[in-house]
Amino acid sequence: MKERYGTVIIMNLLGDPTSAAPALKPESIADPRILHAQALKSSRVDRSIFNNLITLYAKSNLLDSSLRVFKQIPSPNIVSWTSLISVHSSSPLSLTLFLSMLRCPILPNQRTLASLFKACVSLPRCLLFGLSLHALSFKLSLNAQPFSGSALVNFYSKYRLPIDARKVFDEMPERDEVCYAAVIVGLAQNSKPLESLSLFAAMKSSNVGSTMYSVSGALRAVADLAALEQCRMIHGHAVVTGFDKNVIVGSALVDGYGKSGLVSDARKVFDENIAVMNIVGWNALMAGYAQQGASSSVIKLFQSMANVRFVPDEYSFLAALSGFYNAGLVGESEIWLKRMKLEYGIKPGLEHYTCLIGALGKAGRLEDAERIATTMPFNPDAAVWRSLLSSCAHHSAADMALSMARRLLELDPNDDSAYTIAANVLSVAGRWSEVADMRKLMKDRRVKKEVGKSWIEVKGEVHMFMAGDRKHERTEEIYEKLAELMESIEKLGYKPVWDEMLHEVGKGEKKEALWYHSEKLALAYGIVSGAAPAGKPMRIIKNLRICKDCHEAFKYISRAIDKEIIVRDVNRYHKFLNGSCTCGDIW
């Protein structure tokens, strides 16, 4: 999912917890002008009352009034300045006010810095200002305080600097639940799911309480890894802590189960929380169905959403179009893209057009797909040309594949997929000199192929493998089991798929190279470790597209071991059972 499905750290940094202001009457909370009038009539006005008025006016959306109140304070203290800076944290004025405060001179406290870091996140091009603030916080020994430290973690996370965010967190001597939530969410949002889950586990073992943000952040990490058992464990934690009924956590649970491939569990969570579920939760469930290619379920949910008066947004349509793409339904893709514009007045984005282009390419309508790519109201990005390149490879359109590869390399000369996919489709066509040219170009530009990785979850622990991997403690058992599997499926009629192998490599070397792909090693380990009890499917995740040979082998292995094998690759879910796959051999 996009940032829309992620979680955002929201910290209440307004007000003065040490204020001696008298308790506010109910009517004064409703209208701060009443309290203000009472204060002006009083013979003795406490400065803390004015400090609170600044915040109260802001909460009533009267920002100009909060500024006028501040100017009425004879000697504003750090609480006064922090209150004013906090209520303007979505405006450049907050930074200007901070500089004015320094000239008084008044030094910031940790709450002041927290508000400023929040402003640097919400305002454009404020990275350098935020770095300067970090330096100042270090000089004032405020960088490791809970409020400023957690806000600083959030600042680095939002600017896609997760290593710096983690360093700030590690330097904090005391970490409360807000600090943990900031780093757990930040790492999950920056594609570091294993680190995020590790810190969530550390938080629980340190007896630090969780928040709805730390739980939903951990669930986002689970969704990225498709780690089903972790999802179940965090779900249990959410039930114990009472967060399972929270709309943010509920939506994250739907997303976590959906991306783990267990849409039935995602639907159960959704139905239990339907009274509080927001548009994000509806979209998450539709996305879960779409990833399985269950387009009819997506459409039923889309219609149900309209019945409860939720207005579909761009993500709702993206889920529908993704479902059509994975199901190979071109006509529906074209119809729904038009509906999106004409009936709902939503302008399709680049991702919506990419789904249509992918569906057309998958159906073999390569020229139509290219026409859409060159005439849509967006400049095609790498994902568009990569989708077309993959479609050309699937349909053995070597000349067009070369053209798409060149377009992709114009955008990114270091995209390894352009070289490898083009070389593969050329090798299938027997155009070996062009294969050699493509590989030489890749070598000359020092482009390295992305390493294929596969992982499997066993008893809540994730085990990762690469091709030819021999680092696992049970390597000997894994390789013995894999040899046994390959020999058994050869007897069933399996024949290696050599299409994507270099023709110069000998048959024996080719066979060995195919045997030890990462997904086959993960599968073998799953079997020897008893990862899936009787009646339960084997689940494997891969960071790249599953290769043709592994896809063919897994169909036969599902027959040989009489077990369903589920593989989530970078494109979609594959469910192998009784010698066939739900993708229909098109992916």
Side-chain angles (χ1 to χ4, degrees), residues 402-414:
L402 268 178
S403 175
M404 296 302 106
R406 292 190 184 104
R407 288 180 184 269
L408 179 52
L409 291 174
E410 286 175 4
L411 291 177
D412 184 5
N414 295 316

Side-chain angles (χ1 to χ4, degrees), residues 20-38:
L24 302 180
K25 298 176 182 178
E27 64 270 18
S28 65
I29 295 175
D31 190 342
R33 289 171 295 188
I34 297 174
L35 175 64
H36 194 177
Q38 292 173 348

Side-chain angles (χ1 to χ4, degrees), residues 97-243:
L97 289 168
F98 171 65
L99 296 177
S100 299
M101 184 189 81
L102 292 178
R103 295 188 187 104
C104 282
I106 294 178
L107 292 177
N109 60 23
Q110 63 162 322
R111 291 172 180 265
T112 319
L113 291 174
S115 296
L116 290 164
F117 284 126
K118 180 182 177 183
C120 289
V121 168
S122 61
L123 299 173
R125 298 181 296 278
C126 281
L127 175 60
L128 292 179
F129 197 100
L131 294 175
S132 300
L133 283 175
H134 187 182
L136 177 62
S137 71
F138 192 83
K139 290 179 181 179
L140 299 175
S141 299
L142 295 173
N143 60 303
Q145 295 298 310
F147 278 96
S148 52
S150 56
L152 185 52
V153 168
N154 189 43
F155 163 76
Y156 278 121
S157 299
K158 293 301 182 184
Y159 276 98
R160 300 292 181 188
L161 297 168
I163 295 175
D164 297 283
R166 178 63 192 266
K167 186 178 179 182
V168 170
F169 176 81
D170 289 339
E171 291 172 351
M172 297 173 69
E174 295 183 12
R175 306 156 185 167
D176 61 13
E177 61 270 18
V178 177
C179 302
Y180 269 104
V183 73
I184 289 167
V185 171
L187 291 171
Q189 289 177 337
N190 283 278
S191 303
K192 291 189 175 295
L194 287 174
E195 292 92 331
S196 179
L197 288 174
S198 175
L199 278 172
F200 185 79
M203 179 188 74
K204 291 197 296 181
S205 63
S206 301
N207 294 320
V208 175
S210 55
T211 69
M212 60 181 172
Y213 301 109
S214 57
V215 174
S216 59
L219 287 168
R220 175 168 180 155
V222 162
D224 286 346
L225 288 170
L228 178 60
E229 294 306 318
Q230 288 284 342
C231 188
R232 283 175 170 154
M233 286 191 287
I234 296 172
H235 188 181
H237 173 77
V239 171
V240 171
T241 54
F243 289 123

